[in-house]
Amino acid sequence: MKLQRNGRSKALAIGAMALVSSLSLAACGSDDNNNTKASGGSGSSAAASSAVNCGKAGTLLGAGSTAQAPAIDVWKTNFGAACSGTTVNYSGGGSGAGVQQFTQGKVAFAGSDFALKPADVDASKAVCTGGKAIDLPMVAGLVSLVYNVDGVDNLVLDGPTAAKIFDSQITKWNDPAIAALNPGAKLPDAPIQTFHRSDDSGTTFNLTSYFAKTSGGAWTAEPNKTWKGKDGQSANGSAGVSAQIKQVKNSIGYAELSYAQTNNLKSAKIATGAAQPVEATAANAALTIASSTVSGTDGDLALSLDYGTKADNAYPIVLVTYEIACDKGNKAETLDTLKSFLTYTISDAAQKSIGDKGYVPMPAAIGDKVKAAVSTLA
C-alpha cells in the first residue's frame, strides 16, 4: 500500500510542479470590496495583454468572492490595458452576496467560493432567458488554520482534533489530543480562543467540507457557508479573523493563505495520514487541486475536491473560486465582453499572472474544459 501511495504522490507531484513553478507564495485573498475599473498601467504585462482577444467595448459588472479579488484586480488591469474602451467593475461583499446579485440580474457574472446550489440554479432561470447559471472554476487556493499560541511555532492538527477545537469540544491547548499530535511542544495550560467568520463565506464552506470529510463524525453539521460550530467568537471577513488572531493570545482561526503571510501569522501543519504533516503552501495545495474532478453535469463544471487526500505533501483544505455565468440567455449588450474577459482569465498567461498573488493555476485538463464552456456561452 505504501508503494502505491508513493507512486500516486509522485505522479501528482509531476503534474503539480508545472502549476506552481512561478508562485512566490504571496497573498491569495482580499477583503477589499471597493469597485475598481480596468485600466492600463505599469502592472500590466505585455505577455498577459497579448493573450487578450478584445470583444465589443463596453462595461462589464461582476461581484462576489473576496478571496479572488486580487486575481480579478490583476486581470482587470491587463484586460483594460489591451482593450481600450472596456471597463470591468468587480465589487466584493462575499460569495453569497455575489450569487444573489447575479440571480437578481444586477451583474453579468458572480464570483463564488462554492458551487451553485439547486435553488440558486432555479433562481437564475429568471435572468438566464432560456438557460441557467453554471459554475466555471477559475481561481484556486487554500485555507490556512492560523494561530497565535505562546511558545508554539510548529503546531500540527488533524481533522478530528481541529473540528473539536472549532466546535468547542476541545477547549484547552494542553488537551491530550493536541499533545499527542505535538510531542515535545510546550503547549500552554490555557483556554483556546477560536474565531470564525461572521459573514456567509466560501472559506467557511471549504473548511467545514474538510471537517465533514475527515473529522470522523466530530463535526456533525453539513458543509455550510454559514458558521454552524458551537460557541467561539466571530469577525467579519478573513481580514477581521486574521486581525483578531494577531491580537489575541492563544487563539486560532481560519483564512486564505495570504492573511497568514501579510499578518505574519503561523499556519498549522495538517496530519492527513501521509508520511509527514503537510505545510500550508501553494505548492502543496496544487497537488490536491491537480487531483480534482468535474462533478457538475449538463454543462456545469463544479469540481469535486479531495479534502480527505492522504497523498504525501498534498495540503487538504483547498478552495476553488468559480465565475458564475448564464450558459444561455446572457444579456446581448454584455455577452461579447463577458466571453472575451473570461476567455482571457482562463488563458495560460492570465493564470500565470496571478501566481505571485499566491494562487494555484488551474490544471490544464480543467482549464481546457472551462475554455470550451466559455466559447459556447450565448
mmCIF file of all heavy atoms in Angstrom, residues 194-233:
data_model
loop_
_atom_site.group_PDB
_atom_site.id
_atom_site.type_symbol
_atom_site.label_atom_id
_atom_site.label_comp_id
_atom_site.label_asym_id
_atom_site.label_seq_id
_atom_site.Cartn_x
_atom_site.Cartn_y
_atom_site.Cartn_z
ATOM 1 N N THR A 194 -11.204 30.605 19.909
ATOM 2 C CA THR A 194 -11.460 30.331 18.495
ATOM 3 C C THR A 194 -12.188 31.500 17.840
ATOM 4 O O THR A 194 -13.030 32.156 18.458
ATOM 5 C CB THR A 194 -12.302 29.056 18.309
ATOM 6 O OG1 THR A 194 -13.579 29.225 18.934
ATOM 7 C CG2 THR A 194 -11.587 27.853 18.901
ATOM 8 N N PHE A 195 -11.845 31.721 16.572
ATOM 9 C CA PHE A 195 -12.501 32.776 15.789
ATOM 10 C C PHE A 195 -12.989 32.199 14.468
ATOM 11 O O PHE A 195 -12.283 31.429 13.815
ATOM 12 C CB PHE A 195 -11.539 33.934 15.527
ATOM 13 C CG PHE A 195 -11.279 34.793 16.731
ATOM 14 C CD1 PHE A 195 -10.238 34.477 17.605
ATOM 15 C CD2 PHE A 195 -12.085 35.885 17.011
ATOM 16 C CE1 PHE A 195 -10.006 35.250 18.734
ATOM 17 C CE2 PHE A 195 -11.852 36.667 18.142
ATOM 18 C CZ PHE A 195 -10.810 36.348 19.006
ATOM 19 N N HIS A 196 -14.208 32.577 14.077
ATOM 20 C CA HIS A 196 -14.789 32.147 12.815
ATOM 21 C C HIS A 196 -15.406 33.345 12.098
ATOM 22 O O HIS A 196 -15.527 34.431 12.657
ATOM 23 C CB HIS A 196 -15.855 31.065 13.038
ATOM 24 C CG HIS A 196 -16.982 31.505 13.939
ATOM 25 N ND1 HIS A 196 -16.978 31.238 15.302
ATOM 26 C CD2 HIS A 196 -18.128 32.190 13.691
ATOM 27 C CE1 HIS A 196 -18.072 31.737 15.846
ATOM 28 N NE2 HIS A 196 -18.785 32.320 14.895
ATOM 29 N N ARG A 197 -15.796 33.144 10.851
ATOM 30 C CA ARG A 197 -16.379 34.217 10.054
ATOM 31 C C ARG A 197 -17.796 34.522 10.518
ATOM 32 O O ARG A 197 -18.605 33.618 10.735
ATOM 33 C CB ARG A 197 -16.388 33.836 8.579
ATOM 34 C CG ARG A 197 -15.011 33.763 7.942
ATOM 35 C CD ARG A 197 -14.497 35.129 7.538
ATOM 36 N NE ARG A 197 -15.221 35.647 6.399
ATOM 37 C CZ ARG A 197 -14.859 35.495 5.130
ATOM 38 N NH1 ARG A 197 -13.762 34.812 4.842
ATOM 39 N NH2 ARG A 197 -15.566 36.029 4.150
ATOM 40 N N SER A 198 -18.126 35.799 10.638
ATOM 41 C CA SER A 198 -19.488 36.209 10.969
ATOM 42 C C SER A 198 -20.358 36.311 9.717
ATOM 43 O O SER A 198 -21.588 36.212 9.795
ATOM 44 C CB SER A 198 -19.478 37.559 11.695
ATOM 45 O OG SER A 198 -18.891 38.571 10.878
ATOM 46 N N ASP A 199 -19.724 36.496 8.558
ATOM 47 C CA ASP A 199 -20.440 36.615 7.306
ATOM 48 C C ASP A 199 -20.481 35.271 6.585
ATOM 49 O O ASP A 199 -19.631 34.420 6.796
ATOM 50 C CB ASP A 199 -19.783 37.669 6.409
ATOM 51 C CG ASP A 199 -18.289 37.405 6.205
ATOM 52 O OD1 ASP A 199 -17.615 37.011 7.186
ATOM 53 O OD2 ASP A 199 -17.798 37.576 5.082
ATOM 54 N N ASP A 200 -21.491 35.085 5.720
ATOM 55 C CA ASP A 200 -21.531 33.880 4.902
ATOM 56 C C ASP A 200 -20.303 33.847 4.005
ATOM 57 O O ASP A 200 -19.997 34.829 3.323
ATOM 58 C CB ASP A 200 -22.801 33.854 4.052
ATOM 59 C CG ASP A 200 -24.028 33.514 4.869
ATOM 60 O OD1 ASP A 200 -23.885 33.221 6.073
ATOM 61 O OD2 ASP A 200 -25.141 33.542 4.308
ATOM 62 N N SER A 201 -19.623 32.721 3.989
ATOM 63 C CA SER A 201 -18.298 32.685 3.368
ATOM 64 C C SER A 201 -18.012 31.348 2.705
ATOM 65 O O SER A 201 -18.265 30.280 3.284
ATOM 66 C CB SER A 201 -17.234 32.958 4.438
ATOM 67 O OG SER A 201 -15.951 32.592 4.010
ATOM 68 N N GLY A 202 -17.457 31.415 1.503
ATOM 69 C CA GLY A 202 -16.971 30.206 0.855
ATOM 70 C C GLY A 202 -15.797 29.607 1.598
ATOM 71 O O GLY A 202 -15.559 28.397 1.543
ATOM 72 N N THR A 203 -15.028 30.442 2.289
ATOM 73 C CA THR A 203 -13.916 29.938 3.091
ATOM 74 C C THR A 203 -14.443 29.030 4.195
ATOM 75 O O THR A 203 -13.888 27.951 4.458
ATOM 76 C CB THR A 203 -13.119 31.108 3.696
ATOM 77 O OG1 THR A 203 -12.820 32.052 2.670
ATOM 78 C CG2 THR A 203 -11.830 30.626 4.324
ATOM 79 N N THR A 204 -15.527 29.457 4.843
ATOM 80 C CA THR A 204 -16.187 28.627 5.847
ATOM 81 C C THR A 204 -16.699 27.330 5.226
ATOM 82 O O THR A 204 -16.557 26.240 5.805
ATOM 83 C CB THR A 204 -17.354 29.394 6.489
ATOM 84 O OG1 THR A 204 -16.843 30.541 7.170
ATOM 85 C CG2 THR A 204 -18.114 28.523 7.483
ATOM 86 N N PHE A 205 -17.282 27.423 4.046
ATOM 87 C CA PHE A 205 -17.806 26.233 3.366
ATOM 88 C C PHE A 205 -16.696 25.216 3.118
ATOM 89 O O PHE A 205 -16.879 24.011 3.349
ATOM 90 C CB PHE A 205 -18.471 26.620 2.049
ATOM 91 C CG PHE A 205 -19.021 25.452 1.280
ATOM 92 C CD1 PHE A 205 -20.281 24.966 1.545
ATOM 93 C CD2 PHE A 205 -18.263 24.824 0.304
ATOM 94 C CE1 PHE A 205 -20.788 23.871 0.854
ATOM 95 C CE2 PHE A 205 -18.757 23.730 -0.394
ATOM 96 C CZ PHE A 205 -20.025 23.253 -0.116
ATOM 97 N N ASN A 206 -15.552 25.668 2.648
ATOM 98 C CA ASN A 206 -14.460 24.744 2.353
ATOM 99 C C ASN A 206 -13.863 24.154 3.621
ATOM 100 O O ASN A 206 -13.512 22.966 3.654
ATOM 101 C CB ASN A 206 -13.400 25.444 1.506
ATOM 102 C CG ASN A 206 -13.826 25.592 0.064
ATOM 103 O OD1 ASN A 206 -13.706 24.681 -0.743
ATOM 104 N ND2 ASN A 206 -14.367 26.756 -0.281
ATOM 105 N N LEU A 207 -13.741 24.953 4.673
ATOM 106 C CA LEU A 207 -13.233 24.414 5.933
ATOM 107 C C LEU A 207 -14.182 23.364 6.485
ATOM 108 O O LEU A 207 -13.746 22.274 6.901
ATOM 109 C CB LEU A 207 -13.047 25.534 6.963
ATOM 110 C CG LEU A 207 -12.612 25.051 8.349
ATOM 111 C CD1 LEU A 207 -11.209 24.450 8.317
ATOM 112 C CD2 LEU A 207 -12.681 26.188 9.367
ATOM 113 N N THR A 208 -15.473 23.641 6.492
ATOM 114 C CA THR A 208 -16.417 22.682 7.047
ATOM 115 C C THR A 208 -16.586 21.468 6.132
ATOM 116 O O THR A 208 -16.950 20.387 6.605
ATOM 117 C CB THR A 208 -17.774 23.346 7.334
ATOM 118 O OG1 THR A 208 -18.301 23.966 6.150
ATOM 119 C CG2 THR A 208 -17.627 24.410 8.418
ATOM 120 N N SER A 209 -16.300 21.614 4.848
ATOM 121 C CA SER A 209 -16.260 20.453 3.960
ATOM 122 C C SER A 209 -15.115 19.529 4.362
ATOM 123 O O SER A 209 -15.252 18.296 4.352
ATOM 124 C CB SER A 209 -16.091 20.894 2.506
ATOM 125 O OG SER A 209 -17.220 21.617 2.047
ATOM 126 N N TYR A 210 -13.978 20.128 4.709
ATOM 127 C CA TYR A 210 -12.839 19.342 5.204
ATOM 128 C C TYR A 210 -13.208 18.639 6.506
ATOM 129 O O TYR A 210 -12.933 17.447 6.683
ATOM 130 C CB TYR A 210 -11.635 20.259 5.400
ATOM 131 C CG TYR A 210 -10.522 19.649 6.218
ATOM 132 C CD1 TYR A 210 -9.726 18.629 5.703
ATOM 133 C CD2 TYR A 210 -10.286 20.088 7.522
ATOM 134 C CE1 TYR A 210 -8.717 18.056 6.474
ATOM 135 C CE2 TYR A 210 -9.282 19.523 8.292
ATOM 136 C CZ TYR A 210 -8.499 18.503 7.766
ATOM 137 O OH TYR A 210 -7.504 17.939 8.530
ATOM 138 N N PHE A 211 -13.862 19.351 7.425
ATOM 139 C CA PHE A 211 -14.273 18.741 8.689
ATOM 140 C C PHE A 211 -15.241 17.577 8.446
ATOM 141 O O PHE A 211 -15.126 16.519 9.067
ATOM 142 C CB PHE A 211 -14.950 19.775 9.588
ATOM 143 C CG PHE A 211 -14.020 20.782 10.203
ATOM 144 C CD1 PHE A 211 -14.513 21.966 10.722
ATOM 145 C CD2 PHE A 211 -12.658 20.550 10.292
ATOM 146 C CE1 PHE A 211 -13.671 22.900 11.303
ATOM 147 C CE2 PHE A 211 -11.795 21.477 10.874
ATOM 148 C CZ PHE A 211 -12.314 22.661 11.385
ATOM 149 N N ALA A 212 -16.212 17.789 7.562
ATOM 150 C CA ALA A 212 -17.201 16.754 7.292
ATOM 151 C C ALA A 212 -16.555 15.486 6.741
ATOM 152 O O ALA A 212 -16.995 14.370 7.027
ATOM 153 C CB ALA A 212 -18.260 17.277 6.322
ATOM 154 N N LYS A 213 -15.487 15.660 5.971
ATOM 155 C CA LYS A 213 -14.810 14.529 5.336
ATOM 156 C C LYS A 213 -13.850 13.818 6.282
ATOM 157 O O LYS A 213 -13.686 12.592 6.207
ATOM 158 C CB LYS A 213 -14.050 15.019 4.102
ATOM 159 C CG LYS A 213 -13.299 13.946 3.332
ATOM 160 C CD LYS A 213 -14.243 13.006 2.618
ATOM 161 C CE LYS A 213 -13.486 12.023 1.757
ATOM 162 N NZ LYS A 213 -14.393 11.100 1.036
ATOM 163 N N THR A 214 -13.218 14.556 7.188
ATOM 164 C CA THR A 214 -12.073 13.998 7.916
ATOM 165 C C THR A 214 -12.234 13.911 9.428
ATOM 166 O O THR A 214 -11.340 13.375 10.092
ATOM 167 C CB THR A 214 -10.807 14.829 7.630
ATOM 168 O OG1 THR A 214 -10.971 16.150 8.183
ATOM 169 C CG2 THR A 214 -10.543 14.923 6.130
ATOM 170 N N SER A 215 -13.314 14.429 10.011
ATOM 171 C CA SER A 215 -13.398 14.520 11.475
ATOM 172 C C SER A 215 -13.895 13.247 12.135
ATOM 173 O O SER A 215 -13.954 13.177 13.368
ATOM 174 C CB SER A 215 -14.310 15.687 11.885
ATOM 175 O OG SER A 215 -15.667 15.397 11.576
ATOM 176 N N GLY A 216 -14.278 12.245 11.350
ATOM 177 C CA GLY A 216 -14.761 11.010 11.939
ATOM 178 C C GLY A 216 -16.043 11.182 12.732
ATOM 179 O O GLY A 216 -16.281 10.465 13.708
ATOM 180 N N GLY A 217 -16.860 12.152 12.309
ATOM 181 C CA GLY A 217 -18.132 12.392 12.981
ATOM 182 C C GLY A 217 -18.089 13.450 14.064
ATOM 183 O O GLY A 217 -19.130 13.815 14.627
ATOM 184 N N ALA A 218 -16.905 13.979 14.363
ATOM 185 C CA ALA A 218 -16.803 15.011 15.400
ATOM 186 C C ALA A 218 -17.535 16.283 14.987
ATOM 187 O O ALA A 218 -18.102 16.998 15.819
ATOM 188 C CB ALA A 218 -15.340 15.323 15.697
ATOM 189 N N TRP A 219 -17.499 16.578 13.674
ATOM 190 C CA TRP A 219 -18.242 17.735 13.143
ATOM 191 C C TRP A 219 -19.557 17.189 12.573
ATOM 192 O O TRP A 219 -19.559 16.471 11.583
ATOM 193 C CB TRP A 219 -17.435 18.437 12.053
ATOM 194 C CG TRP A 219 -18.046 19.721 11.592
ATOM 195 C CD1 TRP A 219 -18.875 19.914 10.532
ATOM 196 C CD2 TRP A 219 -17.866 21.008 12.194
ATOM 197 N NE1 TRP A 219 -19.230 21.229 10.432
ATOM 198 C CE2 TRP A 219 -18.626 21.924 11.440
ATOM 199 C CE3 TRP A 219 -17.153 21.474 13.298
ATOM 200 C CZ2 TRP A 219 -18.687 23.288 11.753
ATOM 201 C CZ3 TRP A 219 -17.207 22.821 13.607
ATOM 202 C CH2 TRP A 219 -17.960 23.713 12.843
ATOM 203 N N THR A 220 -20.660 17.530 13.190
ATOM 204 C CA THR A 220 -21.937 16.913 12.832
ATOM 205 C C THR A 220 -22.737 17.703 11.809
ATOM 206 O O THR A 220 -23.650 17.151 11.190
ATOM 207 C CB THR A 220 -22.801 16.715 14.085
ATOM 208 O OG1 THR A 220 -23.013 17.989 14.727
ATOM 209 C CG2 THR A 220 -22.107 15.777 15.075
ATOM 210 N N ALA A 221 -22.427 18.972 11.614
ATOM 211 C CA ALA A 221 -23.180 19.794 10.667
ATOM 212 C C ALA A 221 -22.728 19.517 9.241
ATOM 213 O O ALA A 221 -21.585 19.120 8.993
ATOM 214 C CB ALA A 221 -23.002 21.275 10.990
ATOM 215 N N GLU A 222 -23.627 19.734 8.296
ATOM 216 C CA GLU A 222 -23.270 19.643 6.889
ATOM 217 C C GLU A 222 -22.381 20.822 6.509
ATOM 218 O O GLU A 222 -22.445 21.884 7.140
ATOM 219 C CB GLU A 222 -24.534 19.648 6.024
ATOM 220 C CG GLU A 222 -25.406 18.415 6.168
ATOM 221 C CD GLU A 222 -24.737 17.173 5.615
ATOM 222 O OE1 GLU A 222 -24.063 17.280 4.559
ATOM 223 O OE2 GLU A 222 -24.869 16.101 6.236
ATOM 224 N N PRO A 223 -21.547 20.682 5.470
ATOM 225 C CA PRO A 223 -20.769 21.828 4.998
ATOM 226 C C PRO A 223 -21.696 23.003 4.701
ATOM 227 O O PRO A 223 -22.762 22.827 4.105
ATOM 228 C CB PRO A 223 -20.112 21.299 3.720
ATOM 229 C CG PRO A 223 -20.011 19.825 3.938
ATOM 230 C CD PRO A 223 -21.250 19.453 4.701
ATOM 231 N N ASN A 224 -21.288 24.184 5.126
ATOM 232 C CA ASN A 224 -22.182 25.333 5.011
ATOM 233 C C ASN A 224 -21.369 26.615 4.929
ATOM 234 O O ASN A 224 -20.319 26.724 5.550
ATOM 235 C CB ASN A 224 -23.131 25.387 6.214
ATOM 236 C CG ASN A 224 -24.408 26.151 5.930
ATOM 237 O OD1 ASN A 224 -24.367 27.330 5.618
ATOM 238 N ND2 ASN A 224 -25.536 25.468 6.036
ATOM 239 N N LYS A 225 -21.876 27.583 4.190
ATOM 240 C CA LYS A 225 -21.230 28.890 4.121
ATOM 241 C C LYS A 225 -21.471 29.701 5.395
ATOM 242 O O LYS A 225 -20.738 30.641 5.701
ATOM 243 C CB LYS A 225 -21.731 29.664 2.907
ATOM 244 C CG LYS A 225 -23.229 29.957 2.937
ATOM 245 C CD LYS A 225 -23.696 30.610 1.651
ATOM 246 C CE LYS A 225 -25.200 30.847 1.655
ATOM 247 N NZ LYS A 225 -25.675 31.436 0.375
ATOM 248 N N THR A 226 -22.503 29.319 6.173
ATOM 249 C CA THR A 226 -22.806 29.961 7.450
ATOM 250 C C THR A 226 -22.211 29.126 8.572
ATOM 251 O O THR A 226 -22.353 27.900 8.589
ATOM 252 C CB THR A 226 -24.327 30.077 7.653
ATOM 253 O OG1 THR A 226 -24.884 30.813 6.567
ATOM 254 C CG2 THR A 226 -24.659 30.785 8.950
ATOM 255 N N TRP A 227 -21.537 29.767 9.527
ATOM 256 C CA TRP A 227 -20.871 29.041 10.592
ATOM 257 C C TRP A 227 -21.881 28.303 11.456
ATOM 258 O O TRP A 227 -22.848 28.898 11.940
ATOM 259 C CB TRP A 227 -20.041 29.985 11.455
ATOM 260 C CG TRP A 227 -19.250 29.266 12.498
ATOM 261 C CD1 TRP A 227 -19.478 29.237 13.846
ATOM 262 C CD2 TRP A 227 -18.106 28.428 12.277
ATOM 263 N NE1 TRP A 227 -18.556 28.441 14.469
ATOM 264 C CE2 TRP A 227 -17.698 27.936 13.533
ATOM 265 C CE3 TRP A 227 -17.392 28.063 11.135
ATOM 266 C CZ2 TRP A 227 -16.610 27.090 13.679
ATOM 267 C CZ3 TRP A 227 -16.307 27.217 11.288
ATOM 268 C CH2 TRP A 227 -15.915 26.745 12.543
ATOM 269 N N LYS A 228 -21.666 27.010 11.683
ATOM 270 C CA LYS A 228 -22.577 26.174 12.461
ATOM 271 C C LYS A 228 -21.916 25.585 13.703
ATOM 272 O O LYS A 228 -22.544 24.798 14.414
ATOM 273 C CB LYS A 228 -23.114 25.032 11.590
ATOM 274 C CG LYS A 228 -23.905 25.474 10.366
ATOM 275 C CD LYS A 228 -25.182 26.195 10.743
ATOM 276 C CE LYS A 228 -25.999 26.548 9.513
ATOM 277 N NZ LYS A 228 -27.246 27.268 9.863
ATOM 278 N N GLY A 229 -20.667 25.951 13.963
ATOM 279 C CA GLY A 229 -19.984 25.425 15.130
ATOM 280 C C GLY A 229 -20.520 26.016 16.424
ATOM 281 O O GLY A 229 -21.189 27.060 16.433
ATOM 282 N N LYS A 230 -20.205 25.356 17.530
ATOM 283 C CA LYS A 230 -20.671 25.798 18.839
ATOM 284 C C LYS A 230 -19.719 26.831 19.430
ATOM 285 O O LYS A 230 -18.500 26.667 19.404
ATOM 286 C CB LYS A 230 -20.779 24.586 19.778
ATOM 287 C CG LYS A 230 -21.266 24.923 21.185
ATOM 288 C CD LYS A 230 -21.290 23.678 22.049
ATOM 289 C CE LYS A 230 -21.719 24.010 23.485
ATOM 290 N NZ LYS A 230 -21.702 22.798 24.354
ATOM 291 N N ASP A 231 -20.310 27.905 19.957
ATOM 292 C CA ASP A 231 -19.558 28.944 20.677
ATOM 293 C C ASP A 231 -18.481 29.570 19.776
ATOM 294 O O ASP A 231 -18.627 29.627 18.570
ATOM 295 C CB ASP A 231 -18.957 28.382 21.965
ATOM 296 C CG ASP A 231 -20.026 27.870 22.921
ATOM 297 O OD1 ASP A 231 -21.141 28.419 22.906
ATOM 298 O OD2 ASP A 231 -19.739 26.916 23.668
ATOM 299 N N GLY A 232 -17.394 30.028 20.367
ATOM 300 C CA GLY A 232 -16.377 30.741 19.607
ATOM 301 C C GLY A 232 -16.753 32.186 19.387
ATOM 302 O O GLY A 232 -17.873 32.627 19.689
ATOM 303 N N GLN A 233 -15.817 32.957 18.879
ATOM 304 C CA GLN A 233 -16.018 34.370 18.599
ATOM 305 C C GLN A 233 -15.994 34.600 17.089
ATOM 306 O O GLN A 233 -15.365 33.839 16.351
ATOM 307 C CB GLN A 233 -14.922 35.199 19.280
ATOM 308 C CG GLN A 233 -14.847 34.971 20.788
ATOM 309 C CD GLN A 233 -13.656 35.666 21.409
ATOM 310 O OE1 GLN A 233 -13.581 36.889 21.462
ATOM 311 N NE2 GLN A 233 -12.692 34.876 21.891
#
